[in-house]
PDB file of all heavy atoms in Angstrom:
ATOM      1  N   THR A 250     121.837  50.949  73.436  1.00 92.00           N
ATOM      2  CA  THR A 250     120.779  50.405  74.291  1.00 92.00           C
ATOM      3  C   THR A 250     121.068  48.959  74.675  1.00 92.00           C
ATOM      4  O   THR A 250     120.454  48.437  75.626  1.00 92.00           O
ATOM      5  CB  THR A 250     119.420  50.485  73.577  1.00 92.00           C
ATOM      6  OG1 THR A 250     119.515  49.845  72.293  1.00 92.00           O
ATOM      7  CG2 THR A 250     118.991  51.928  73.392  1.00 92.00           C
ATOM      8  N   GLU A 251     121.978  48.315  73.969  1.00 92.00           N
ATOM      9  CA  GLU A 251     122.378  46.966  74.342  1.00 92.00           C
ATOM     10  C   GLU A 251     123.415  46.975  75.464  1.00 92.00           C
ATOM     11  O   GLU A 251     123.678  45.946  76.077  1.00 92.00           O
ATOM     12  CB  GLU A 251     122.947  46.240  73.117  1.00 92.00           C
ATOM     13  CG  GLU A 251     121.951  46.104  71.957  1.00 92.00           C
ATOM     14  CD  GLU A 251     122.577  45.453  70.739  1.00 92.00           C
ATOM     15  OE1 GLU A 251     123.767  45.068  70.828  1.00 92.00           O
ATOM     16  OE2 GLU A 251     121.893  45.339  69.710  1.00 92.00           O
ATOM     17  N   VAL A 252     124.015  48.140  75.707  1.00 93.00           N
ATOM     18  CA  VAL A 252     125.065  48.267  76.719  1.00 93.00           C
ATOM     19  C   VAL A 252     124.533  48.946  77.978  1.00 93.00           C
ATOM     20  O   VAL A 252     124.855  48.538  79.100  1.00 93.00           O
ATOM     21  CB  VAL A 252     126.259  49.050  76.148  1.00 93.00           C
ATOM     22  CG1 VAL A 252     127.357  49.194  77.198  1.00 93.00           C
ATOM     23  CG2 VAL A 252     126.801  48.371  74.895  1.00 93.00           C
ATOM     24  N   PHE A 253     123.718  49.988  77.789  1.00 96.00           N
ATOM     25  CA  PHE A 253     123.182  50.758  78.914  1.00 96.00           C
ATOM     26  C   PHE A 253     121.698  50.456  79.104  1.00 96.00           C
ATOM     27  O   PHE A 253     120.985  50.146  78.145  1.00 96.00           O
ATOM     28  CB  PHE A 253     123.381  52.262  78.679  1.00 96.00           C
ATOM     29  CG  PHE A 253     124.816  52.699  78.704  1.00 96.00           C
ATOM     30  CD1 PHE A 253     125.569  52.719  77.538  1.00 96.00           C
ATOM     31  CD2 PHE A 253     125.421  53.083  79.883  1.00 96.00           C
ATOM     32  CE1 PHE A 253     126.900  53.123  77.549  1.00 96.00           C
ATOM     33  CE2 PHE A 253     126.741  53.487  79.916  1.00 96.00           C
ATOM     34  CZ  PHE A 253     127.482  53.496  78.746  1.00 96.00           C
ATOM     35  N   ASP A 254     121.240  50.581  80.344  1.00 96.00           N
ATOM     36  CA  ASP A 254     119.833  50.338  80.640  1.00 96.00           C
ATOM     37  C   ASP A 254     118.937  51.434  80.079  1.00 96.00           C
ATOM     38  O   ASP A 254     117.820  51.174  79.637  1.00 96.00           O
ATOM     39  CB  ASP A 254     119.629  50.217  82.155  1.00 96.00           C
ATOM     40  CG  ASP A 254     120.393  49.028  82.729  1.00 96.00           C
ATOM     41  OD1 ASP A 254     120.096  47.896  82.324  1.00 96.00           O
ATOM     42  OD2 ASP A 254     121.292  49.244  83.562  1.00 96.00           O
ATOM     43  N   ASP A 255     119.402  52.680  80.126  1.00 96.00           N
ATOM     44  CA  ASP A 255     118.646  53.813  79.589  1.00 96.00           C
ATOM     45  C   ASP A 255     119.595  54.721  78.823  1.00 96.00           C
ATOM     46  O   ASP A 255     120.713  54.989  79.277  1.00 96.00           O
ATOM     47  CB  ASP A 255     117.960  54.610  80.707  1.00 96.00           C
ATOM     48  CG  ASP A 255     116.903  53.787  81.430  1.00 96.00           C
ATOM     49  OD1 ASP A 255     115.936  53.386  80.772  1.00 96.00           O
ATOM     50  OD2 ASP A 255     117.077  53.540  82.637  1.00 96.00           O
ATOM     51  N   VAL A 256     119.131  55.221  77.673  1.00 95.00           N
ATOM     52  CA  VAL A 256     119.939  56.105  76.831  1.00 95.00           C
ATOM     53  C   VAL A 256     119.088  57.316  76.466  1.00 95.00           C
ATOM     54  O   VAL A 256     117.936  57.180  76.050  1.00 95.00           O
ATOM     55  CB  VAL A 256     120.407  55.392  75.546  1.00 95.00           C
ATOM     56  CG1 VAL A 256     121.226  56.351  74.678  1.00 95.00           C
ATOM     57  CG2 VAL A 256     121.235  54.154  75.886  1.00 95.00           C
ATOM     58  N   GLU A 257     119.668  58.513  76.632  1.00 94.00           N
ATOM     59  CA  GLU A 257     118.954  59.747  76.293  1.00 94.00           C
ATOM     60  C   GLU A 257     119.884  60.659  75.502  1.00 94.00           C
ATOM     61  O   GLU A 257     121.061  60.803  75.826  1.00 94.00           O
ATOM     62  CB  GLU A 257     118.481  60.468  77.555  1.00 94.00           C
ATOM     63  CG  GLU A 257     117.708  61.754  77.268  1.00 94.00           C
ATOM     64  CD  GLU A 257     117.299  62.489  78.529  1.00 94.00           C
ATOM     65  OE1 GLU A 257     117.650  62.018  79.635  1.00 94.00           O
ATOM     66  OE2 GLU A 257     116.655  63.543  78.420  1.00 94.00           O
ATOM     67  N   GLU A 258     119.338  61.272  74.479  1.00 92.00           N
ATOM     68  CA  GLU A 258     120.104  62.230  73.658  1.00 92.00           C
ATOM     69  C   GLU A 258     119.452  63.598  73.767  1.00 92.00           C
ATOM     70  O   GLU A 258     118.273  63.763  73.481  1.00 92.00           O
ATOM     71  CB  GLU A 258     120.117  61.771  72.194  1.00 92.00           C
ATOM     72  CG  GLU A 258     120.802  62.748  71.250  1.00 92.00           C
ATOM     73  CD  GLU A 258     120.650  62.345  69.795  1.00 92.00           C
ATOM     74  OE1 GLU A 258     120.103  61.255  69.524  1.00 92.00           O
ATOM     75  OE2 GLU A 258     121.055  63.132  68.922  1.00 92.00           O
ATOM     76  N   ARG A 259     120.226  64.586  74.199  1.00 90.00           N
ATOM     77  CA  ARG A 259     119.733  65.970  74.303  1.00 90.00           C
ATOM     78  C   ARG A 259     120.020  66.736  73.009  1.00 90.00           C
ATOM     79  O   ARG A 259     120.983  66.431  72.302  1.00 90.00           O
ATOM     80  CB  ARG A 259     120.401  66.679  75.480  1.00 90.00           C
ATOM     81  CG  ARG A 259     120.105  66.044  76.829  1.00 90.00           C
ATOM     82  CD  ARG A 259     118.672  66.271  77.260  1.00 90.00           C
ATOM     83  NE  ARG A 259     118.382  65.641  78.541  1.00 90.00           N
ATOM     84  CZ  ARG A 259     118.588  66.206  79.724  1.00 90.00           C
ATOM     85  NH1 ARG A 259     119.117  67.422  79.786  1.00 90.00           N
ATOM     86  NH2 ARG A 259     118.277  65.576  80.836  1.00 90.00           N
ATOM     87  N   ARG A 260     119.223  67.726  72.724  1.00 86.00           N
ATOM     88  CA  ARG A 260     119.415  68.529  71.517  1.00 86.00           C
ATOM     89  C   ARG A 260     120.209  69.784  71.839  1.00 86.00           C
ATOM     90  O   ARG A 260     120.195  70.278  72.965  1.00 86.00           O
ATOM     91  CB  ARG A 260     118.065  68.913  70.916  1.00 86.00           C
ATOM     92  CG  ARG A 260     117.226  67.722  70.519  1.00 86.00           C
ATOM     93  CD  ARG A 260     115.917  68.134  69.918  1.00 86.00           C
ATOM     94  NE  ARG A 260     116.098  68.751  68.602  1.00 86.00           N
ATOM     95  CZ  ARG A 260     115.092  68.996  67.778  1.00 86.00           C
ATOM     96  NH1 ARG A 260     113.862  68.684  68.126  1.00 86.00           N
ATOM     97  NH2 ARG A 260     115.317  69.553  66.605  1.00 86.00           N
ATOM     98  N   PHE A 261     120.885  70.307  70.833  1.00 87.00           N
ATOM     99  CA  PHE A 261     121.613  71.564  70.990  1.00 87.00           C
ATOM    100  C   PHE A 261     120.598  72.688  71.148  1.00 87.00           C
ATOM    101  O   PHE A 261     119.592  72.748  70.443  1.00 87.00           O
ATOM    102  CB  PHE A 261     122.512  71.818  69.781  1.00 87.00           C
ATOM    103  CG  PHE A 261     123.746  70.976  69.773  1.00 87.00           C
ATOM    104  CD1 PHE A 261     123.717  69.660  69.340  1.00 87.00           C
ATOM    105  CD2 PHE A 261     124.950  71.492  70.220  1.00 87.00           C
ATOM    106  CE1 PHE A 261     124.854  68.879  69.343  1.00 87.00           C
ATOM    107  CE2 PHE A 261     126.100  70.715  70.227  1.00 87.00           C
ATOM    108  CZ  PHE A 261     126.051  69.405  69.790  1.00 87.00           C
ATOM    109  N   GLY A 262     120.886  73.569  72.100  1.00 84.00           N
ATOM    110  CA  GLY A 262     119.913  74.582  72.461  1.00 84.00           C
ATOM    111  C   GLY A 262     119.879  75.797  71.563  1.00 84.00           C
ATOM    112  O   GLY A 262     118.861  76.476  71.475  1.00 84.00           O
ATOM    113  N   GLN A 263     120.998  76.112  70.878  1.00 82.00           N
ATOM    114  CA  GLN A 263     121.049  77.329  70.079  1.00 82.00           C
ATOM    115  C   GLN A 263     121.728  77.043  68.745  1.00 82.00           C
ATOM    116  O   GLN A 263     122.282  75.963  68.523  1.00 82.00           O
ATOM    117  CB  GLN A 263     121.793  78.439  70.836  1.00 82.00           C
ATOM    118  CG  GLN A 263     121.140  78.811  72.156  1.00 82.00           C
ATOM    119  CD  GLN A 263     121.749  80.045  72.773  1.00 82.00           C
ATOM    120  OE1 GLN A 263     122.055  81.006  72.087  1.00 82.00           O
ATOM    121  NE2 GLN A 263     121.935  80.029  74.083  1.00 82.00           N
ATOM    122  N   THR A 264     121.699  78.029  67.880  1.00 78.00           N
ATOM    123  CA  THR A 264     122.339  77.894  66.575  1.00 78.00           C
ATOM    124  C   THR A 264     123.825  78.198  66.690  1.00 78.00           C
ATOM    125  O   THR A 264     124.293  78.793  67.673  1.00 78.00           O
ATOM    126  CB  THR A 264     121.712  78.851  65.559  1.00 78.00           C
ATOM    127  OG1 THR A 264     122.036  80.203  65.951  1.00 78.00           O
ATOM    128  CG2 THR A 264     120.207  78.688  65.513  1.00 78.00           C
ATOM    129  N   GLN A 265     124.568  77.817  65.655  1.00 76.00           N
ATOM    130  CA  GLN A 265     125.999  78.121  65.661  1.00 76.00           C
ATOM    131  C   GLN A 265     126.238  79.624  65.703  1.00 76.00           C
ATOM    132  O   GLN A 265     127.153  80.096  66.368  1.00 76.00           O
ATOM    133  CB  GLN A 265     126.666  77.510  64.433  1.00 76.00           C
ATOM    134  CG  GLN A 265     126.985  76.044  64.596  1.00 76.00           C
ATOM    135  CD  GLN A 265     128.215  75.641  63.794  1.00 76.00           C
ATOM    136  OE1 GLN A 265     128.810  76.437  63.091  1.00 76.00           O
ATOM    137  NE2 GLN A 265     128.589  74.394  63.924  1.00 76.00           N
ATOM    138  N   THR A 266     125.420  80.370  64.984  1.00 75.00           N
ATOM    139  CA  THR A 266     125.593  81.829  64.989  1.00 75.00           C
ATOM    140  C   THR A 266     125.396  82.396  66.390  1.00 75.00           C
ATOM    141  O   THR A 266     126.148  83.268  66.833  1.00 75.00           O
ATOM    142  CB  THR A 266     124.599  82.479  64.016  1.00 75.00           C
ATOM    143  OG1 THR A 266     124.883  82.029  62.684  1.00 75.00           O
ATOM    144  CG2 THR A 266     124.715  83.994  64.056  1.00 75.00           C
ATOM    145  N   GLU A 267     124.396  81.884  67.104  1.00 82.00           N
ATOM    146  CA  GLU A 267     124.161  82.369  68.473  1.00 82.00           C
ATOM    147  C   GLU A 267     125.331  82.024  69.386  1.00 82.00           C
ATOM    148  O   GLU A 267     125.733  82.834  70.230  1.00 82.00           O
ATOM    149  CB  GLU A 267     122.863  81.769  69.013  1.00 82.00           C
ATOM    150  CG  GLU A 267     121.617  82.332  68.337  1.00 82.00           C
ATOM    151  CD  GLU A 267     120.361  81.582  68.694  1.00 82.00           C
ATOM    152  OE1 GLU A 267     120.423  80.359  68.886  1.00 82.00           O
ATOM    153  OE2 GLU A 267     119.290  82.227  68.766  1.00 82.00           O
ATOM    154  N   TYR A 268     125.896  80.824  69.228  1.00 87.00           N
ATOM    155  CA  TYR A 268     127.063  80.469  70.036  1.00 87.00           C
ATOM    156  C   TYR A 268     128.255  81.344  69.674  1.00 87.00           C
ATOM    157  O   TYR A 268     129.043  81.729  70.542  1.00 87.00           O
ATOM    158  CB  TYR A 268     127.415  78.994  69.851  1.00 87.00           C
ATOM    159  CG  TYR A 268     126.457  78.062  70.539  1.00 87.00           C
ATOM    160  CD1 TYR A 268     125.761  77.098  69.829  1.00 87.00           C
ATOM    161  CD2 TYR A 268     126.234  78.147  71.911  1.00 87.00           C
ATOM    162  CE1 TYR A 268     124.874  76.243  70.458  1.00 87.00           C
ATOM    163  CE2 TYR A 268     125.342  77.298  72.548  1.00 87.00           C
ATOM    164  CZ  TYR A 268     124.666  76.347  71.817  1.00 87.00           C
ATOM    165  OH  TYR A 268     123.794  75.511  72.444  1.00 87.00           O
ATOM    166  N   LYS A 269     128.391  81.642  68.398  1.00 85.00           N
ATOM    167  CA  LYS A 269     129.501  82.488  67.975  1.00 85.00           C
ATOM    168  C   LYS A 269     129.371  83.885  68.587  1.00 85.00           C
ATOM    169  O   LYS A 269     130.333  84.441  69.134  1.00 85.00           O
ATOM    170  CB  LYS A 269     129.531  82.586  66.448  1.00 85.00           C
ATOM    171  CG  LYS A 269     130.734  83.354  65.908  1.00 85.00           C
ATOM    172  CD  LYS A 269     130.459  83.971  64.557  1.00 85.00           C
ATOM    173  CE  LYS A 269     129.544  85.161  64.690  1.00 85.00           C
ATOM    174  NZ  LYS A 269     129.414  85.945  63.445  1.00 85.00           N
ATOM    175  N   GLU A 270     128.176  84.458  68.495  1.00 86.00           N
ATOM    176  CA  GLU A 270     127.969  85.799  69.048  1.00 86.00           C
ATOM    177  C   GLU A 270     128.184  85.811  70.558  1.00 86.00           C
ATOM    178  O   GLU A 270     128.767  86.752  71.102  1.00 86.00           O
ATOM    179  CB  GLU A 270     126.558  86.278  68.694  1.00 86.00           C
ATOM    180  CG  GLU A 270     126.367  86.520  67.196  1.00 86.00           C
ATOM    181  CD  GLU A 270     124.925  86.822  66.855  1.00 86.00           C
ATOM    182  OE1 GLU A 270     124.051  86.635  67.736  1.00 86.00           O
ATOM    183  OE2 GLU A 270     124.669  87.241  65.711  1.00 86.00           O
ATOM    184  N   TRP A 271     127.701  84.758  71.222  1.00 92.00           N
ATOM    185  CA  TRP A 271     127.905  84.669  72.675  1.00 92.00           C
ATOM    186  C   TRP A 271     129.383  84.570  73.002  1.00 92.00           C
ATOM    187  O   TRP A 271     129.869  85.214  73.952  1.00 92.00           O
ATOM    188  CB  TRP A 271     127.151  83.451  73.210  1.00 92.00           C
ATOM    189  CG  TRP A 271     127.342  83.222  74.679  1.00 92.00           C
ATOM    190  CD1 TRP A 271     126.656  83.800  75.702  1.00 92.00           C
ATOM    191  CD2 TRP A 271     128.304  82.350  75.288  1.00 92.00           C
ATOM    192  NE1 TRP A 271     127.124  83.343  76.911  1.00 92.00           N
ATOM    193  CE2 TRP A 271     128.135  82.453  76.693  1.00 92.00           C
ATOM    194  CE3 TRP A 271     129.277  81.499  74.795  1.00 92.00           C
ATOM    195  CZ2 TRP A 271     128.905  81.735  77.585  1.00 92.00           C
ATOM    196  CZ3 TRP A 271     130.050  80.772  75.685  1.00 92.00           C
ATOM    197  CH2 TRP A 271     129.868  80.888  77.060  1.00 92.00           C
ATOM    198  N   ALA A 272     130.130  83.782  72.243  1.00 93.00           N
ATOM    199  CA  ALA A 272     131.563  83.618  72.491  1.00 93.00           C
ATOM    200  C   ALA A 272     132.309  84.929  72.274  1.00 93.00           C
ATOM    201  O   ALA A 272     133.208  85.284  73.042  1.00 93.00           O
ATOM    202  CB  ALA A 272     132.128  82.526  71.585  1.00 93.00           C
ATOM    203  N   VAL A 273     131.924  85.658  71.232  1.00 92.00           N
ATOM    204  CA  VAL A 273     132.583  86.942  70.959  1.00 92.00           C
ATOM    205  C   VAL A 273     132.329  87.923  72.100  1.00 92.00           C
ATOM    206  O   VAL A 273     133.253  88.610  72.567  1.00 92.00           O
ATOM    207  CB  VAL A 273     132.099  87.512  69.613  1.00 92.00           C
ATOM    208  CG1 VAL A 273     132.570  88.952  69.450  1.00 92.00           C
ATOM    209  CG2 VAL A 273     132.624  86.666  68.448  1.00 92.00           C
ATOM    210  N   ASP A 274     131.094  88.000  72.570  1.00 93.00           N
ATOM    211  CA  ASP A 274     130.778  88.895  73.696  1.00 93.00           C
ATOM    212  C   ASP A 274     131.574  88.508  74.945  1.00 93.00           C
ATOM    213  O   ASP A 274     132.091  89.379  75.659  1.00 93.00           O
ATOM    214  CB  ASP A 274     129.282  88.852  74.008  1.00 93.00           C
ATOM    215  CG  ASP A 274     128.443  89.540  72.944  1.00 93.00           C
ATOM    216  OD1 ASP A 274     129.013  90.346  72.189  1.00 93.00           O
ATOM    217  OD2 ASP A 274     127.236  89.245  72.857  1.00 93.00           O
ATOM    218  N   ARG A 275     131.668  87.208  75.183  1.00 93.00           N
ATOM    219  CA  ARG A 275     132.393  86.743  76.367  1.00 93.00           C
ATOM    220  C   ARG A 275     133.873  87.096  76.266  1.00 93.00           C
ATOM    221  O   ARG A 275     134.490  87.548  77.238  1.00 93.00           O
ATOM    222  CB  ARG A 275     132.217  85.231  76.530  1.00 93.00           C
ATOM    223  CG  ARG A 275     132.947  84.662  77.733  1.00 93.00           C
ATOM    224  CD  ARG A 275     132.767  83.155  77.837  1.00 93.00           C
ATOM    225  NE  ARG A 275     133.508  82.629  78.976  1.00 93.00           N
ATOM    226  CZ  ARG A 275     134.787  82.330  78.969  1.00 93.00           C
ATOM    227  NH1 ARG A 275     135.496  82.507  77.863  1.00 93.00           N
ATOM    228  NH2 ARG A 275     135.389  81.859  80.054  1.00 93.00           N
ATOM    229  N   LEU A 276     134.457  86.887  75.095  1.00 95.00           N
ATOM    230  CA  LEU A 276     135.883  87.185  74.918  1.00 95.00           C
ATOM    231  C   LEU A 276     136.143  88.692  74.976  1.00 95.00           C
ATOM    232  O   LEU A 276     137.194  89.122  75.452  1.00 95.00           O
ATOM    233  CB  LEU A 276     136.375  86.617  73.585  1.00 95.00           C
ATOM    234  CG  LEU A 276     136.508  85.089  73.555  1.00 95.00           C
ATOM    235  CD1 LEU A 276     136.760  84.607  72.137  1.00 95.00           C
ATOM    236  CD2 LEU A 276     137.640  84.630  74.475  1.00 95.00           C
ATOM    237  N   GLN A 277     135.192  89.466  74.504  1.00 95.00           N
ATOM    238  CA  GLN A 277     135.338  90.918  74.593  1.00 95.00           C
ATOM    239  C   GLN A 277     135.421  91.355  76.058  1.00 95.00           C
ATOM    240  O   GLN A 277     136.292  92.153  76.440  1.00 95.00           O
ATOM    241  CB  GLN A 277     134.173  91.597  73.896  1.00 95.00           C
ATOM    242  CG  GLN A 277     134.339  93.116  73.762  1.00 95.00           C
ATOM    243  CD  GLN A 277     133.154  93.743  73.056  1.00 95.00           C
ATOM    244  OE1 GLN A 277     132.006  93.366  73.288  1.00 95.00           O
ATOM    245  NE2 GLN A 277     133.429  94.704  72.188  1.00 95.00           N
ATOM    246  N   ASP A 278     134.547  90.795  76.888  1.00 95.00           N
ATOM    247  CA  ASP A 278     134.583  91.119  78.320  1.00 95.00           C
ATOM    248  C   ASP A 278     135.855  90.562  78.973  1.00 95.00           C
ATOM    249  O   ASP A 278     136.460  91.216  79.832  1.00 95.00           O
ATOM    250  CB  ASP A 278     133.348  90.548  79.022  1.00 95.00           C
ATOM    251  CG  ASP A 278     132.066  91.236  78.599  1.00 95.00           C
ATOM    252  OD1 ASP A 278     132.152  92.374  78.100  1.00 95.00           O
ATOM    253  OD2 ASP A 278     130.991  90.625  78.748  1.00 95.00           O
ATOM    254  N   TYR A 279     136.239  89.351  78.566  1.00 94.00           N
ATOM    255  CA  TYR A 279     137.402  88.695  79.163  1.00 94.00           C
ATOM    256  C   TYR A 279     138.685  89.497  78.929  1.00 94.00           C
ATOM    257  O   TYR A 279     139.548  89.603  79.819  1.00 94.00           O
ATOM    258  CB  TYR A 279     137.540  87.288  78.586  1.00 94.00           C
ATOM    259  CG  TYR A 279     138.782  86.550  79.025  1.00 94.00           C
ATOM    260  CD1 TYR A 279     138.866  85.990  80.289  1.00 94.00           C
ATOM    261  CD2 TYR A 279     139.874  86.424  78.164  1.00 94.00           C
ATOM    262  CE1 TYR A 279     140.007  85.313  80.699  1.00 94.00           C
ATOM    263  CE2 TYR A 279     141.020  85.746  78.560  1.00 94.00           C
ATOM    264  CZ  TYR A 279     141.078  85.198  79.818  1.00 94.00           C
ATOM    265  OH  TYR A 279     142.217  84.541  80.211  1.00 94.00           O
ATOM    266  N   HIS A 280     138.818  90.055  77.740  1.00 96.00           N
ATOM    267  CA  HIS A 280     140.047  90.760  77.391  1.00 96.00           C
ATOM    268  C   HIS A 280     140.016  92.250  77.746  1.00 96.00           C
ATOM    269  O   HIS A 280     141.014  92.951  77.540  1.00 96.00           O
ATOM    270  CB  HIS A 280     140.336  90.619  75.890  1.00 96.00           C
ATOM    271  CG  HIS A 280     140.824  89.248  75.502  1.00 96.00           C
ATOM    272  ND1 HIS A 280     142.026  88.752  75.929  1.00 96.00           N
ATOM    273  CD2 HIS A 280     140.261  88.287  74.725  1.00 96.00           C
ATOM    274  CE1 HIS A 280     142.199  87.537  75.437  1.00 96.00           C
ATOM    275  NE2 HIS A 280     141.147  87.223  74.705  1.00 96.00           N
ATOM    276  N   THR A 281     138.890  92.743  78.247  1.00 96.00           N
ATOM    277  CA  THR A 281     138.814  94.149  78.641  1.00 96.00           C
ATOM    278  C   THR A 281     139.610  94.371  79.921  1.00 96.00           C
ATOM    279  O   THR A 281     139.431  93.661  80.908  1.00 96.00           O
ATOM    280  CB  THR A 281     137.348  94.567  78.848  1.00 96.00           C
ATOM    281  OG1 THR A 281     136.638  94.420  77.619  1.00 96.00           O
ATOM    282  CG2 THR A 281     137.266  96.014  79.320  1.00 96.00           C
TER     283      THR A 281
END
Side-chain angles (χ1 to χ4, degrees):
T250 54
E251 300 177 3
V252 180
F253 292 91
D254 297 298
D255 295 298
V256 179
E257 181 183 2
E258 176 187 355
R259 298 289 179 87
R260 300 181 69 169
F261 284 81
Q263 300 189 41
T264 67
Q265 279 210 358
T266 297
E267 290 170 326
Y268 287 122
K269 185 206 73 170
E270 293 173 349
W271 177 84
V273 169
D274 289 341
R275 180 181 178 277
L276 288 170
Q277 188 180 40
D278 292 339
Y279 174 77
H280 286 294
T281 298

